[in-house]
Amino acid sequence: AGPYYGPPPPFFPDPLPRSNQAHGSGCVVPGGSMTLTDGIWYGYAETYSGGEIGFDLACFFTGEIGWDKAAEDGEVGYELDFYIRNNNPTIRQVDLDPGASVFVLDTGGGGVDLTEITAAAWPTGGGWVPCPGEFCAVWLYVNGGVITSLVEQYLP
């Protein structure tokens, strides 16, 4: 149970109860709701307008579980240390709290680090990948039905 706040150590949250081994709260909203319940959700921030993110929920698995899930999905020779399953194209609209903590990927120091900015400064337009967009991987920390923290996820 929440409240849920980011950024997670070391760079993505642990699986939470009832997540079916996916990191965060998993990839199935209880009851199949179009509204994200309070929790930590992985997916893609595809659109952003008027303080509202169009969010494509996905599953984020790591290690042995990731390899098992990849095999279930017919991914032969899968060798990465993480696996993303995104088999539902539903886009959910989620409000970004104006006071939310936002952590963006910063590549300015030669590595990839998280830098905190204000919600009003997001999207920056100069990140690792274009955000919002089809490949804008994020963790949404939802409390009271709104995003209180947003963390961009590095994917090599």
Side-chain angles (χ1 to χ4, degrees):
Y4 302 96
Y5 295 99
F11 199 43
F12 46 80
D14 290 332
L16 296 174
R18 297 181 298 282
S19 71
N20 195 27
Q21 301 177 314
H23 284 264
S25 297
C27 46
V28 177
V29 179
S33 174
M34 287 297 293
T35 303
L36 292 181
T37 57
D38 290 0
I40 305 169
W41 303 99
Y42 174 80
Y44 302 92
E46 293 203 357
T47 61
Y48 182 66
S49 179
E52 189 175 77
I53 293 177
F55 182 69
D56 180 9
L57 179 63
C59 306
F60 189 92
F61 301 101
T62 58
E64 192 97 16
I65 294 166
W67 299 328
D68 291 346
K69 298 296 181 181
E72 285 175 15
D73 291 349
E75 296 288 334
V76 179
Y78 186 81
E79 296 180 8
L80 294 175
D81 225 12
F82 67 93
Y83 179 67
I84 296 168
R85 178 184 284 165
N86 189 8
N87 55 9
N88 183 341
T90 300
I91 303 296
R92 291 171 170 82
Q93 301 301 317
V94 191
D95 289 330
L96 178 63
D97 186 299
S101 304
V102 175
F103 298 87
V104 296
L105 293 171
D106 180 0
T107 57
V112 179
D113 297 305
L114 287 174
T115 299
E116 186 172 5
I117 63 172
T118 65
W122 191 86
T124 64
W128 178 252
V129 296
C131 282
E134 181 181 4
F135 302 107
C136 178
V138 296
W139 293 95
L140 302 183
Y141 290 68
V142 176
N143 293 283
V146 299
I147 302 163
T148 54
S149 292
L150 179 149
V151 180
E152 292 181 1
Q153 175 66 54
Y154 171 74
L155 298 174

